[in-house]
Amino acid sequence: MAVPFLERNLRITPIDTFIDPPQPRARAIITHGHADHARSGHDAVLATPDTVAIMKTRYGENCARSFQALEFGQPLQIDGVTVTLYPAGHILGSAQVLLEYKGQRIVVTGDYKRLHDRTAQPFELVQCDLLVTEATFGLPVFQHPDPKAETSRLLRSLSQEPERSHVVGCYALGKAQRMISLIRECGYHDPIYLHGAMVRLCDLYEQHGVPLGELRQATGTAKGELAGKIIIAPPSALKDRWSRRLADPVLAMASGWMSVKQRARQSLVELPLVISDHCDWNELRQTIAECGAETIWVTHGREDALVYYCQGQGLIAEPLNIQAYEDGPEDAGGDETGDAAEGRAA
Amino acid sequence: MKRFAELLELLALTPSRNRKIAALSTYFSDVPDPDRGYALAILTGALSFKNVKPAMLREVVLEEVDPNLFAMSYDYVGDLGETIALIWPHQETAEDLPSLTKLIDLFNTTPKADLPRLIAALLTRPSTNERWALVKLATGALRIGVSARLAKTALADYGGKELQDIEEVWHGLTPPYGELFAWLDGKTGRPEINHTARFHPLMLSNPIDEDKDLAKLAPSEFAAEWKWDGIRVQLILGSGRASLFSRTGDDIAAAFPDIVDNVSGEAVLDGELLVGHDLMPATFNDLQQRLNRKIANQKHLTDFPAFIRVYDMLFDGQNDIRSLPWLERRRHLAGWLQANPQSRLDLSTVIPFKDWDELARIRRQGADEHGHEGVMLKLMSSPYVPGRPKGLWFKWKRDPNVLDAILMYAQRGHGKRSSYYSDYTFGVWKGNEIVPIGKAYFGFTDEELRRLDKWVRAHTVQAFGPVREVEKQLVFEVAFDSAQESKRHKSGVALRFPRINRIRWDKPAAEAATLADVELLIDAT
Ligand SMILES: [Zn+2]
Ligand SMILES: [Zn+2]
């Protein structure tokens, strides 16, 4: 392959544009609304309409000087580089970025998953020469189970312990709405109660055509009303006074990390739900095999194991060490580093 | 097996002790024999398999998984069993795992050469949790935070018994505990257990509070004995054999053949195991040599012969005498020893005293001249009550030895305190020089620790890795149990159980102790 026109800090050389830059830049393409990818303070932002809406909701209307919304699958010409966004299946509006220049095709996946999710546009495989893939769950111990089976464990616990509130720790953007949607899909239609940090983003999802059923605010609700009910709260609220004021709650947590029991124990989670918005090991391998790329750059997580695996498959692979994904709280925090902070502030 | 896997997961993840007990209790009532008995055996660590071992499981996995990827995964997960359960790449079998009983039978009877294939077939199923439970069962390393005591508490809860009732029969029972469950279910009476085959829970003492307790106790109602510096044991004699248990009920006979091969008669005795020639106790260090080995070696048997200083009797022949007063049991014990002469047992002496002041004097003298740890006080009218009953037995330890030493080196601590300098080496004067005599952690408040940490950083002379040498200015009051001669230490002295009592911010280093002061405190044993 010719020398790539993408640099290792994800700068697209011919057009001086960065993908998900951690510092303010003149031109940025944003894959999705999570805080480790979407920062405020850029001059010009290109993203899907859903991601633009999410950024404005989280950081304010003026978090970038200008926004350009680009629909999925619509090629955009910028000085000889063709940019096309494809669904990444990670959260609402999340995109992979296809870059084409002088016959070379590069895909930057952003965060992605291939498992079923009614709240995100489903992942589409894109052929390319160079794949820049995330590796949040890039170890063979991560084999995510069926999310509906995990959700039914929550509903089973609810029927076995009908007096106890069930607090499910979820990141406010993406995971919370997916969890609610899964609960509905499994046939539960009672009101679901929300921690204050969840409300704005749930409203936004509904406005963008994702039905979530009847939602109520948990704060200010009488204790008795919450017994035997499901409450969605940010992970940080599991540990603080907020959940302790509930009567003897079952603490659950929806995250890919929850497959490791020692992890769940350390975070005092009684009911770990292995529900992830990232690819597991098998999905990562499948994507690498199917996209046709000969060169794989690995970032955002456990680069070493995936790079080692790719090299064993005869591919050219190397890790990218991008600061943005490393300086958040420990990865024990969960799928999306930035959201933990937001939950805490709310 | 599915039910057992669910139980294990709940036990591992539920922080509430009561909820764990309730879950166990429910399990015992839902699950039939012998599955529930085997579950109990697994939870209490009573089961192990000759040929199914962690290393074997690892090999089974490495047939299927790249070794480097396995190593990176193990490094991340931190628990071998859990890594195996999570990484196993095959899931296609849909049928349920066999019952617990059947699995245990398979592990015990499958020829060694066929075991890897069996394990691989069992691991191949979709539920991670079942794979996890299976690996935990096979390796015996549960690490789920359930103690044998918790399991027994749940048995008591399930059968409506006292924990003590369970403890009484526990050591005479074996998996799958059919007679235990029959009793708990009210179908039969309490299991009949030959007392010579089982451990009886010990009676333990409480520390005395000199200011509060002594005034309320009548000296004439108590007997005093030396507190021996060995390990507490129970010796069970009968039908021509002897069993020896530690205070927690572990069978330690294999480590002490010199005792179990040289005792005779029929009785259950309580006493202190010591080492030394001619029934003269040597130091705890010498005993430690023996305790470090599960099976005794010949040199140790010659150099450090073991004996038991006996102080109580639970059964005289077949008679349970635990309900008799101490004074009566003591008479039985003395009579039994007279009728059954022993070379490896002797009787702990009773110390005569008139009042507490006199006993305090004797206690101090015993500590100074013979290195005794202190004295035991036993209410003469008291029966033998297992556990730690209040007001019957007391231990009255001698005052700790104290000296003022000078801080020399500080080292960063571990775990929660790893960011502080919390490990300290201190020394005493030898002429114009300061020689180290010990090392201790700091046992005080975070506030003091912070102040000390700051002092260390401000007075560092040199740093080597995690260790800092400091200016020799700060005095610690160090308490310790005893001082012993030591060839390994430059000072020639070693302190046993040193701890920092307080920081003498006020005291000049010149007034700290000298090596000669410390030598005076060396045990006269
Ligand atoms: Zn994300
Ligand atoms: Zn991310």
Side-chain angles (χ1 to χ4, degrees):
Chain A
M1 191 182 77
V3 174
F5 60 94
L6 181 71
E7 295 161 36
R8 280 161 182 76
N9 58 358
L10 303 189
R11 175 174 180 263
I12 307 159
T13 315
I15 54 173
D16 186 26
T17 298
F18 288 82
I19 299 177
D20 292 347
Q23 289 90 26
R25 296 290 181 183
R27 280 182 299 280
I29 300 173
I30 304 299
T31 60
H32 67 288
H34 280 140
D36 53 336
H37 300 260
R39 311 253 161 152
S40 62
H42 304 305
D43 285 346
V45 162
L46 177 70
T48 64
D50 289 335
T51 298
V52 170
I54 288 168
M55 286 181 75
K56 287 181 174 173
T57 302
R58 300 185 95 191
Y59 306 125
E61 288 289 326
N62 301 319
C63 66
R65 206 162 284 165
S66 70
F67 286 97
Q68 182 177 0
L70 180 61
E71 296 285 351
F72 287 122
Q74 299 289 321
L76 176 70
Q77 294 286 339
I78 312 171
D79 299 338
V81 176
T82 309
V83 178
T84 318
L85 302 179
Y86 288 93
H90 174 58
I91 62 168
L92 181 69
S94 66
Q96 310 172 72
V97 183
L98 168 67
L99 304 165
E100 294 167 282
Y101 183 66
K102 294 187 177 167
Q104 195 183 99
R105 289 166 66 90
I106 299 177
V107 168
V108 177
T109 64
D111 294 346
Y112 68 114
K113 74 167 176 294
R114 305 184 61 165
L115 280 184
H116 159 88
D117 178 358
R118 294 205 300 198
T119 68
Q121 296 84 350
F123 174 87
E124 283 177 32
L125 184 75
V126 186
Q127 296 295 314
C128 57
D129 305 305
L130 166 62
L131 178 75
V132 182
T133 179
E134 64 133 324
T136 308
F137 292 105
L139 278 174
V141 280
F142 294 111
Q143 307 187 71
H144 301 327
D146 172 16
K148 277 206 236 172
E150 291 297 290
T151 308
S152 58
R153 292 177 55 229
L154 170 67
L155 298 179
R156 195 158 53 128
S157 170
L158 200 64
S159 66
Q160 281 169 350
E161 311 244 27
E163 302 84 38
R164 298 174 73 193
S165 304
H166 282 58
V167 185
V168 187
C170 293
Y171 292 89
L173 171 58
K175 184 60 63 61
Q177 297 76 26
R178 182 179 181 210
M179 190 73 237
I180 295 168
S181 170
L182 277 166
I183 293 168
R184 299 304 187 205
E185 232 181 305
C186 290
Y188 180 89
H189 297 292
D190 286 6
I192 292 176
Y193 293 78
L194 298 181
H195 181 281
M198 305 294 176
V199 176
R200 274 181 315 149
L201 288 163
C202 287
D203 287 350
L204 183 141
Y205 264 61
E206 293 232 284
Q207 286 157 19
H208 285 242
V210 180
L212 299 175
E214 187 184 347
L215 303 177
R216 292 186 189 167
Q217 291 245 22
T219 318
T221 304
K223 233 184 187 182
E225 191 186 327
L226 295 174
K229 293 291 190 286
I230 297 173
I231 301 155
I232 307 287
S236 56
L238 293 189
K239 282 174 203 154
D240 68 20
R241 215 170 293 137
W242 192 86
S243 67
R244 262 182 272 138
R245 76 187 184 96
L246 299 166
D248 190 24
V250 173
L251 299 184
M253 169 90 178
S255 160
W257 304 112
M258 287 294 112
S259 61
V260 180
K261 285 199 171 53
Q262 301 287 354
R263 276 266 177 121
R265 281 182 74 179
Q266 282 159 8
S267 34
L268 298 181
V269 169
E270 205 174 327
L271 183 63
L273 304 172
V274 188
I275 297 177
S276 170
D277 287 333
H278 294 268
C279 286
D280 70 0
W281 177 252
N282 299 323
E283 292 168 80
L284 290 170
R285 289 192 308 167
Q286 186 192 355
T287 307
I288 288 164
E290 290 174 354
C291 74
E294 284 169 13
T295 307
I296 313 290
W297 290 356
V298 184
T299 183
H300 198 286
R302 327 232 138 248
E303 293 92 355
D304 295 355
L306 198 59
V307 166
Y308 170 84
Y309 165 79
C310 290
Q311 288 169 347
Q313 302 297 305
L315 300 168
I316 299 163
E318 64 177 279
L320 303 183
N321 298 303
I322 296 176
Q323 192 59 32
Y325 311 130
E326 287 166 6
D327 58 6
E330 275 179 60
D331 55 4
D335 297 55
E336 274 73 50
T337 49
D339 287 354
E342 167 155 307
R344 219 170 283 130
Chain B
M1 181 64 191
K2 202 179 222 127
R3 186 76 174 73
F4 180 67
E6 283 167 7
L7 174 71
L8 271 195
E9 183 179 37
L10 188 143
L11 292 172
L13 295 173
T14 300
S16 150
R17 185 180 150 83
N18 286 342
R19 208 161 273 138
K20 286 185 200 202
I21 291 171
L24 281 162
S25 197
T26 309
Y27 180 87
F28 294 143
S29 78
D30 291 356
V31 175
D33 290 322
D35 260 33
R36 57 177 173 172
Y38 284 121
L40 177 62
I42 295 158
L43 291 169
T44 54
L47 219 55
S48 71
F49 307 105
K50 202 166 100 228
N51 294 324
V52 184
K53 297 284 176 209
M56 194 265 266
L57 265 79
R58 186 202 284 256
E59 263 163 41
V60 170
V61 171
L62 290 181
E63 287 289 312
E64 306 290 329
V65 179
D66 178 283
N68 285 314
L69 290 173
F70 183 83
M72 288 185 230
S73 297
Y74 181 24
D75 190 52
Y76 173 79
V77 175
D79 177 287
L80 180 66
E82 193 163 7
T83 309
I84 292 173
L86 289 171
I87 209 169
W88 186 253
H90 307 294
Q91 313 199 343
E92 44 277 12
T93 315
E95 68 195 58
D96 283 347
L97 278 169
S99 73
L100 206 48
T101 308
K102 176 78 186 147
L103 273 175
I104 289 167
D105 183 54
L106 281 171
F107 287 164
N108 280 326
T109 58
T110 305
K112 201 170 174 182
D114 298 340
L115 276 169
R117 213 172 331 136
L118 171 74
I119 301 277
L122 291 171
L123 281 172
T124 299
R125 61 199 57 257
S127 157
T128 313
N129 200 45
E130 284 177 30
R131 292 202 298 267
W132 173 74
L134 187 77
V135 175
K136 291 276 162 186
L137 162 67
T139 58
L142 293 180
R143 290 176 65 188
I144 56 164
V146 173
S147 62
R149 191 179 163 81
L150 186 90
K152 288 180 222 167
T153 307
L155 286 170
D157 180 72
Y158 167 69
K161 311 282 185 212
E162 294 297 315
L163 176 58
Q164 206 50 61
D165 297 332
I166 308 289
E167 295 274 12
E168 279 290 315
V169 296
W170 181 254
H171 286 275
L173 301 171
T174 47
Y177 307 106
E179 44 184 340
L180 171 70
F181 282 108
W183 170 50
L184 296 179
D185 289 339
K187 291 187 188 132
T188 59
R190 185 170 141 148
E192 273 305 317
I193 285 157
N194 179 1
H195 77 256
T196 56
R198 71 185 177 95
F199 173 75
H200 306 270
L202 298 178
M203 177 164 180
L204 304 170
S205 63
N206 294 291
I208 205 156
D209 183 329
E210 289 182 37
D211 300 328
K212 278 196 214 136
D213 294 333
L214 282 182
K216 282 186 263 168
L217 305 177
S220 60
E221 292 177 5
F222 282 85
E225 292 171 276
W226 293 114
K227 187 175 186 317
W228 301 105
D229 194 10
I231 61 161
R232 182 89 179 266
V233 292
Q234 184 168 94
L235 179 65
I236 299 176
L237 302 170
S239 348
R241 60 192 204 104
S243 318
L244 188 63
F245 293 100
S246 73
R247 64 182 286 169
T248 49
D250 296 324
D251 185 344
I252 54 169
F256 297 98
D258 44 347
I259 292 182
V260 293
D261 295 344
N262 291 301
V263 285
S264 58
E266 184 168 20
V268 177
L269 304 173
D270 186 359
E272 197 86 356
L273 188 144
L274 299 158
V275 299
H277 294 277
D278 307 320
L279 305 179
M280 293 286 290
T283 65
F284 192 82
N285 266 343
D286 290 353
L287 173 57
Q288 196 66 49
Q289 309 283 324
R290 294 283 306 261
L291 295 177
N292 287 342
R293 307 189 149 263
K294 281 213 157 100
I295 295 174
N297 75 18
Q298 195 50 50
K299 181 163 161 44
H300 281 164
L301 289 174
T302 319
D303 291 355
F304 312 116
F307 65 97
I308 298 172
R309 189 142 284 173
V310 184
Y311 37 68
D312 212 324
M313 186 175 221
L314 287 70
F315 285 73
D316 184 354
Q318 291 280 347
N319 287 334
D320 186 348
I321 59 168
R322 283 175 292 178
S323 54
L324 298 181
W326 175 87
L327 203 59
E328 282 296 312
R329 298 199 306 277
R330 178 86 190 182
R331 249 194 288 274
H332 276 271
L333 176 57
W336 182 87
L337 278 169
Q338 220 151 40
N340 299 275
Q342 305 281 345
S343 61
R344 295 288 179 149
L345 306 180
D346 81 340
L347 186 60
S348 163
T349 46
V350 173
I351 308 165
F353 67 99
K354 283 196 296 296
D355 52 35
W356 297 131
D357 284 345
E358 185 184 2
L359 187 60
R361 253 193 321 277
I362 296 170
R363 180 181 61 109
R364 213 168 301 126
Q365 201 179 356
D368 293 347
E369 293 175 11
H370 304 284
H372 287 314
E373 253 196 287
V375 294
M376 302 294 302
L377 296 176
K378 294 177 179 172
L379 184 66
M380 288 189 276
S381 60
S382 152
Y384 193 94
V385 184
R388 206 183 288 279
K390 292 233 153 55
L392 305 183
W393 285 13
F394 295 96
K395 56 184 163 209
W396 190 7
K397 288 219 193 179
R398 60 124 182 272
D399 305 322
N401 294 305
V402 172
L403 66 84
D404 288 329
I406 304 155
L407 175 60
M408 301 178 72
Y409 305 97
Q411 186 175 348
R412 269 199 289 275
H414 299 285
K416 179 167 148 265
R417 290 185 154 179
S418 59
S419 54
Y420 290 119
Y421 286 89
S422 62
D423 261 352
Y424 304 98
T425 302
F426 40 81
V428 294
W429 292 105
K430 182 184 179 186
N432 287 331
E433 165 190 28
I434 299 171
V435 288
I437 52 159
K439 188 175 167 177
Y441 301 105
F442 188 69
F444 277 111
T445 62
D446 286 353
E447 177 61 44
E448 280 176 294
L449 182 59
R450 265 192 292 277
R451 187 172 168 199
L452 187 52
D453 185 73
K454 212 170 139 194
W455 189 93
V456 167
R457 289 169 199 274
H459 294 81
T460 299
V461 182
Q462 273 193 78
F464 343 81
V467 180
R468 289 184 180 217
E469 180 179 1
V470 296
E471 290 170 33
K472 312 295 180 300
Q473 287 177 6
L474 189 61
V475 175
F476 283 167
E477 182 182 287
V478 178
F480 54 96
D481 282 12
S482 62
Q484 286 159 350
E485 280 182 68
S486 162
K487 294 198 183 78
R488 277 187 303 147
H489 290 75
K490 195 172 156 196
S491 60
V493 185
L495 303 182
R496 188 148 173 240
F497 298 130
R499 57 245 179 222
I500 297 160
N501 251 358
R502 53 192 172 132
I503 310 169
R504 300 292 307 264
W505 299 103
D506 54 318
K507 191 155 190 165
E511 288 176 24
T514 64
L515 194 53
D517 295 336
V518 184
E519 281 163 354
L520 281 180
L521 298 168
I522 290 179
D523 289 348
T525 37

